[in-house]
Amino acid sequence: MHISTVSLQCSSPLSPFIDDLTLKYSKKSLPIACTLTILAMSMSAALHAQQAPPPTASEWGGIGLLQTPTARMTEDGEIAFTASHNSPYSRYNVTMQPLPWLEGSFRYINVSNIRYGPGYAGDQNYKDKSIDFKVRLWRESRWLPDLSVGVRDLGGTGFFSSEYLVANKNFGPVDASLGLATGYIGNRGDFSNPLGLVDDRYKDRRPLASGSVGGAGKFGIGNMFKGPVGIFGGVTWQTPIESLLVKAEYDGNDYRREPRRNNLEQRTPVNIGFVYLPNRNIELTAAWERGDAVMFSLTVRGNPGHASQSPKPFDPKPIQITPIYSQAGGGTVDTRISPATVGANASGEPDNDHDWGAIASQLRGNAGLRVDSISERNGELFIDGYQTRYPSAAKGLGRAGRILSTTLGDQYDWYTVRSTRLGMPIVDMSVSRHALEGYLDGTVTEDVLRRSTELEVPAEVDRNELYRAPAGPFGGGFSVGYRQNLGGPDGFILYQVAANYSASYFFRPDVWLTGTTSVDLFNNYDKFKYNAPSRLPRVRTDLRRYMIDNDITLPNLQLTAARRLGRDTYGLAYAGYLEWMYAGVGGELLYRPMDQPWAVGANVNWVKQRDFDQHFGLRDYSITTGHATLYYTFDARERIVGSLSLGRYLAGDYGATVNIARAFDNGVTMGAYATKTDVSARDFGEGSFDKGIYFSIPFDIVLPRSTRGRGTINWNPLIRDGGAMLSRKYSLYNATGERDERYFYDNLESIGD
C-alpha cells in the first residue's frame, strides 16, 4: 500500500540507469524491471525526509548493501552477529569495529550442495572459513565521499578472496555507493586491471583452489589486487517509515567462477532488498538476488566497547563518610559506624589502638581488597593486598578510603593501597584523604582529585606494621569449563562441558603449587573422527586424541615461584604439567618501567609432550621453545596495545607473532594476531600461516554484581602445527597490568562509586 501511494510522485534521477539494466534483462526478468521502476519512482517521493539511512549489515556481516560492501562503518566498539541464507550458501558472521576507521569480520560459510568427501567426513556439508577487514581512507565531506579500501577472505582458503575500493555519498534519505573490485566481488571483470600498465603480473589472477580441502590455503598477498576489475554499487533509501530501508545494488559478480566449480545462474545483476529495524540492535533483511534467489538475514548488534556498567544491586553499598566525633549536649559522642574502634580514652580523644582485623574484614567485604598487611609511615596508611572484586582499581581505592576515613577519622593524611600480584608488589596507588572526602561531598573537582592521587613504584622503606593477616596456605574452588571446535569436517560445533576444581597451596606468598582437575560432564566428541594432515611434528594437530581419550584429566599441575628482582623488573620460574599438552620447566623475565608505554620480556621453556590421557605420562617429543617480546601501548585517542614476539615455536620453527588490540576504557578488548615462521606455506598446510581475531568482554558490564572475571572468544580459523606457542598459565605482563596509568586515570571517576 505504501509503495503504490508513494509511486505517484515525481520520477527519480536513477530511472535511466535502471531502464538500461531492465532493457538488457527485460525478457528474463520483467518482474524485476517493474520492481526497479517502482523503486526508482518511490525513492524521490520522500526527499523532504532528509534523515540519512543508518549503516546496516550486508549478508557477509560487514556494513554494506546485500552482496557488496560500502565505505560506511558503524560506531567504534560495536560487535554484530549476522546469519544469512542465500542458497546454496549459509553464512555466519561476527563483525567488530575496534576503531572508528577499521572494521573486521570473521565467518563460516556452509555450502549445502558440496560435501567434504569420503576422505574427510563423508556426509558433512563443506564449510569455509575467512577473515575480512575494511579501512576508511577518509570521511565524507561536503564535496568528497566516504572512501574505504577492503579485503575479503584474507585468512582461510581464499575461495572468496577479493579486494575493493568503494566510495559513498549521502543525498538526503539516499546513501549511494560505487566501487571497484578484483577477485570474487568483481568476478564479472568489466575492464582490464589498470595496474597491468605498470606490471603485467596484475593483468591476471591465479585461479582459486578448486579440487579439495587439502589444496586450499595457497592464497596470499601475491594475489591481491590482481586480475580484471568489476564495477559494483547501489543505494540505500530511508523510507518515510523510520524502521524500513530499501536497498538496490548492482552486483559485480556474475557467479560463473564460484569456488570448487559451484557456479550459479544469474538472470540479472541487480539485487533488491528490504531491511526492517525494530530497534537499533536488530536488523531483518529480505532480498531478491540474481533474479532467481531469495535471501534472508538476521543481524544482532550491540556496543560493548562503550557500554556503561550495569546496575549492581548485589554489591554492598559504599560507606558514607561521617565525622568520627560530634558534639551533643556539650559532650563528645562517637558516631563511627564500624566496630573497628576498641574505645576512647578518658579525655574523649580517639585512642590509637584499633581492631585492625575488623578493618581488614571490612576492606575485603566492601572494597574488595584482600589484605595481607596494614602499616603506617609519616601520616600515611598503607594497605598491602590485592583487588578481588572491582575491575577498576580506582573504585576499590575510593571504597577503601571511605572505610578508613569513617573508622580512623583524621588520623592519616594519605591512604595508599599497595597492589600485589603473584606475591609481588606491583604499584602503590595513593589518594589524599582531604581530596577524597572533598570529592565525595562535592567540594572538590575531579581535576583537583586527579592532582591528589598518585601511582608510584613500590618503594622499599621502613614502615610501622600494624596488622598482618593470618597465614592461609590453601585455597581452591569449583568452576565450569567449556571447550569447542567450530567449522570442522565432523560437525559445525564440537563441544565439551566439564566440571573443574582448581586448588593452590602457598609455601610463601611468592611460592606456590597449583593444579586443576577436570571431569567431563557431556560432549559430542563421539563425532570427532578427523585428524588433520601435517608435514610438521604434531605439536597441536593431535588435539582430537587429547579431547577424547579420558573423561577425567589433569590439565595443569605446577610449582611456581615469583620475585620482584628490581625497581621495574619481575621474574617467574615454574615446573610441572604446564598445560594440557605439555610438561616441563621454564622461566620468564619482564622489565616494565613506570610512566612508560613500553615493556620488554622473555621466556624460555624446555617441554615434553604429555600422554593423550592428560595424566602423568609423557611422550617422546621434546623441544626448547621461547620468545622475546616487546609490548607497546600507543597513547592515541583510541588506546591501542600491541606486542611483537620473536622466537622458537613448539614445532622447532622460528618466526614472529604480531598482536594488535584496541582496549576500551571499560575493559573491552578487540584484537587480531598473526604468526609467520620459516615454515613454507606448503609444509604449514591449509591457511598458509597462523592467524586469528578475538574479543574479550568483562562480565562486570552485564552482571548485577561486580566481578573481575571476563569472557574471551578467540577465533582461529585453523589449528595447525606451525607457529604454535606454549600456553603458559601465568603472564608477567598481565600480572603487572595495574601499572597502566592511563587505564587508572581514565576510570578515576569510579572512585566515588
Side-chain angles (χ1 to χ4, degrees):
M1 291 298 291
H2 289 287
I3 292 179
S4 61
T5 302
V6 174
S7 65
L8 297 177
Q9 306 293 328
C10 60
S11 62
S12 167
L14 296 173
S15 297
F17 166 74
I18 297 176
D19 288 344
D20 179 65
L21 291 175
T22 53
L23 285 173
K24 184 176 179 180
Y25 292 93
S26 58
K27 293 183 180 181
K28 295 182 179 180
S29 52
L30 184 58
I32 293 294
C34 294
T35 302
L36 284 171
T37 303
I38 293 172
L39 175 65
M41 296 174 65
S42 301
M43 290 177 65
S44 58
L47 287 176
H48 63 280
Q50 294 299 304
Q51 181 182 358
T56 53
S58 72
E59 59 190 274
W60 293 80
I63 297 299
L65 292 170
L66 299 168
Q67 282 284 337
T68 62
T70 66
R72 301 299 188 194
M73 295 189 182
T74 187
E75 297 179 358
D76 64 324
E78 284 214 353
I79 297 177
F81 170 77
T82 299
S84 66
H85 178 75
N86 182 353
S87 185
Y89 300 123
S90 295
R91 300 181 179 93
Y92 307 95
N93 317 274
V94 173
T95 301
M96 300 184 294
Q97 188 80 39
L99 296 162
W101 48 268
L102 177 64
E103 174 190 276
S105 301
F106 66 91
R107 76 178 55 83
Y108 286 95
I109 302 178
N110 182 77
V111 187
S112 61
N113 60 350
I114 294 180
R115 303 292 186 266
Y116 271 99
Y120 295 92
D123 61 351
Q124 276 291 316
N125 293 342
Y126 175 72
K127 298 171 183 67
D128 191 77
K129 319 167 188 71
S130 59
I131 298 175
D132 304 353
F133 72 84
K134 180 171 65 177
V135 176
R136 178 192 284 128
L137 301 181
W138 65 68
R139 284 185 179 273
E140 180 181 7
S141 63
R142 181 176 181 182
W143 301 111
L144 294 177
D146 247 17
L147 186 68
S148 295
V149 62
V151 177
R152 180 177 288 176
D153 197 358
L154 174 66
T157 61
F159 284 162
F160 299 93
S161 62
S162 189
E163 306 81 47
Y164 60 88
L165 181 71
V166 60
N168 270 70
K169 198 78 177 71
N170 180 247
F171 303 97
V174 176
D175 192 45
S177 67
L178 182 64
L180 304 174
T182 53
Y184 186 82
I185 299 174
N187 262 347
R188 176 172 286 102
D190 296 297
F191 58 89
S192 59
N193 196 323
L195 295 177
L197 299 175
V198 179
D199 191 326
D200 287 343
R201 290 178 297 177
Y202 285 97
K203 292 182 178 180
D204 300 307
R205 191 179 185 92
R206 292 200 310 270
L208 296 171
S210 58
S212 66
V213 177
K218 297 181 179 179
F219 171 77
I221 60 174
N223 222 19
M224 296 178 77
F225 297 101
K226 292 184 177 179
V229 178
I231 301 172
F232 66 91
V235 294
T236 301
W237 173 44
Q238 172 64 67
T239 72
I241 304 173
E242 185 178 0
S243 59
L244 182 64
L245 308 178
V246 179
K247 293 182 176 182
E249 72 176 359
Y250 179 79
D251 198 343
N253 189 1
D254 59 8
Y255 301 93
R256 295 179 181 178
R257 301 168 189 82
E258 290 298 284
R260 303 188 72 180
R261 304 184 181 92
N262 192 26
N263 296 338
L264 304 173
E265 182 181 1
Q266 184 189 61
R267 296 182 179 180
T268 173
V270 178
N271 302 326
I272 302 294
F274 298 88
V275 183
Y276 175 59
L277 307 171
N279 57 58
R280 68 175 308 274
N281 301 112
I282 296 177
E283 301 169 14
L284 299 168
T285 303
W288 184 249
E289 299 183 358
R290 306 196 303 270
D292 69 347
V294 176
M295 188 279 292
F296 295 103
S297 72
L298 166 66
T299 297
V300 179
R301 67 172 69 251
N303 195 319
H306 294 292
S308 301
Q309 186 186 79
S310 66
K312 296 290 185 279
F314 298 120
D315 275 1
K317 299 295 183 183
I319 300 299
Q320 299 301 314
I321 297 178
T322 57
I324 188 169
Y325 284 89
S326 65
Q327 297 298 320
T332 301
V333 180
D334 187 349
T335 62
R336 281 176 276 203
I337 63 170
S338 168
T341 298
V342 174
N345 58 28
S347 64
E349 294 297 322
D351 194 23
N352 286 328
D353 292 328
H354 303 284
D355 186 350
W356 295 107
I359 293 176
S361 177
Q362 197 170 10
L363 289 170
R364 175 72 179 269
N366 193 278
L369 285 171
R370 181 163 183 170
V371 177
D372 295 326
S373 66
I374 301 175
S375 57
E376 65 178 358
R377 183 177 186 270
N378 297 335
E380 183 174 2
L381 188 71
F382 290 83
I383 310 294
D384 288 37
Y386 54 93
Q387 180 59 243
T388 63
R389 178 180 301 159
Y390 302 114
S392 168
K395 184 173 182 176
L397 179 61
R399 286 188 168 231
R402 289 170 182 258
I403 294 169
L404 297 175
S405 287
T406 300
T407 57
L408 305 177
D410 59 1
Q411 188 173 347
Y412 298 98
D413 296 324
W414 284 82
Y415 303 135
T416 295
V417 172
R418 174 164 292 184
S419 178
T420 61
R421 296 288 172 185
L422 306 182
M424 303 179 293
I426 305 299
V427 66
D428 282 358
M429 297 174 285
S430 304
V431 62
S432 162
R433 176 180 60 81
H434 299 282
L436 176 63
E437 293 175 357
Y439 179 74
L440 294 176
D441 66 21
T443 60
V444 167
T445 66
E446 185 175 325
D447 287 339
V448 173
L449 176 68
R450 186 177 296 268
R451 294 193 297 269
S452 303
T453 57
E454 296 178 354
L455 261 69
E456 298 289 345
V457 173
E460 298 298 331
V461 295
D462 291 332
R463 294 180 286 166
N464 177 34
E465 186 172 285
L466 303 171
Y467 168 79
R468 178 162 294 277
F474 181 80
F478 289 94
S479 64
V480 176
Y482 177 75
R483 179 179 291 161
Q484 68 180 21
N485 277 49
L486 291 176
D490 297 312
F492 182 65
I493 298 179
L494 299 175
Y495 63 88
Q496 179 194 52
V497 177
N500 301 327
Y501 182 77
S502 298
S504 298
Y505 184 86
F506 291 86
F507 302 97
R508 295 186 343 203
D510 56 358
V511 179
W512 69 99
L513 180 69
T514 186
T516 300
T517 299
S518 181
V519 179
D520 176 51
L521 297 180
F522 53 90
N523 64 65
N524 65 346
Y525 284 162
D526 57 302
K527 300 178 181 179
F528 205 163
K529 309 293 183 184
Y530 175 65
N531 277 324
S534 181
R535 295 174 177 267
L536 300 173
R538 285 188 172 274
V539 296
R540 288 300 184 198
T541 51
D542 271 333
L543 81 164
R544 183 183 73 88
R545 295 290 306 275
Y546 283 97
M547 289 178 171
I548 68 173
D549 270 28
N550 212 306
D551 290 338
I552 301 177
T553 61
L554 187 71
N556 172 256
L557 179 63
Q558 70 180 68
L559 179 68
T560 306
R563 182 69 57 86
R564 184 187 180 205
L565 303 174
R567 181 179 187 274
D568 300 305
T569 305
Y570 295 88
L572 198 66
Y574 41 84
Y577 297 88
L578 305 180
E579 53 143 289
W580 63 317
M581 291 188 183
Y582 289 92
V585 297
E588 181 186 7
L589 289 174
L590 177 74
Y591 178 68
R592 186 171 188 171
M594 286 288 292
D595 305 323
Q596 296 296 326
W598 57 273
V600 291
N603 68 84
V604 178
N605 312 274
W606 179 87
V607 294
K608 198 166 187 178
Q609 207 165 35
R610 297 179 62 181
D611 277 349
F612 297 133
D613 62 9
Q614 296 181 61
H615 286 174
F616 296 101
L618 300 174
R619 307 183 71 215
D620 292 335
Y621 183 78
S622 63
I623 189 75
T624 299
T625 178
H627 294 82
T629 302
L630 170 66
Y631 306 91
Y632 196 88
T633 300
F634 299 87
D635 195 20
R637 186 167 63 90
E638 292 88 20
R639 184 165 169 266
I640 301 173
V641 181
S643 66
L644 172 64
S645 298
L646 306 173
R648 192 186 196 198
Y649 296 81
L650 286 171
D653 46 334
Y654 291 87
T657 297
V658 177
N659 190 325
I660 299 290
R662 165 75 187 279
F664 293 85
D665 291 345
N666 61 4
V668 170
T669 303
M670 302 179 186
Y673 63 90
T675 298
K676 184 62 179 173
T677 71
D678 56 0
V679 172
S680 67
R682 177 176 179 269
D683 288 342
F684 185 92
E686 182 182 357
S688 300
F689 63 95
D690 190 51
K691 83 283 290 184
I693 62 179
Y694 60 91
F695 60 89
S696 179
I697 300 178
F699 292 142
D700 191 68
I701 291 177
V702 297
L703 295 181
R705 184 179 178 88
S706 293
T707 175
R708 293 177 63 88
R710 60 173 51 240
T712 300
I713 295 180
N714 181 13
W715 185 78
N716 185 317
L718 296 162
I719 297 176
R720 308 298 300 171
D721 294 312
M725 280 187 175
L726 181 70
S727 179
R728 295 178 297 117
K729 185 175 181 67
Y730 303 107
S731 161
L732 285 175
Y733 188 76
N734 292 338
T736 57
E738 285 170 319
R739 285 196 162 205
D740 186 343
E741 288 186 274
R742 176 169 174 176
Y743 183 75
F744 177 85
Y745 284 110
D746 282 349
N747 291 275
L748 184 62
E749 63 181 14
S750 67
I751 202 170
D753 293 344

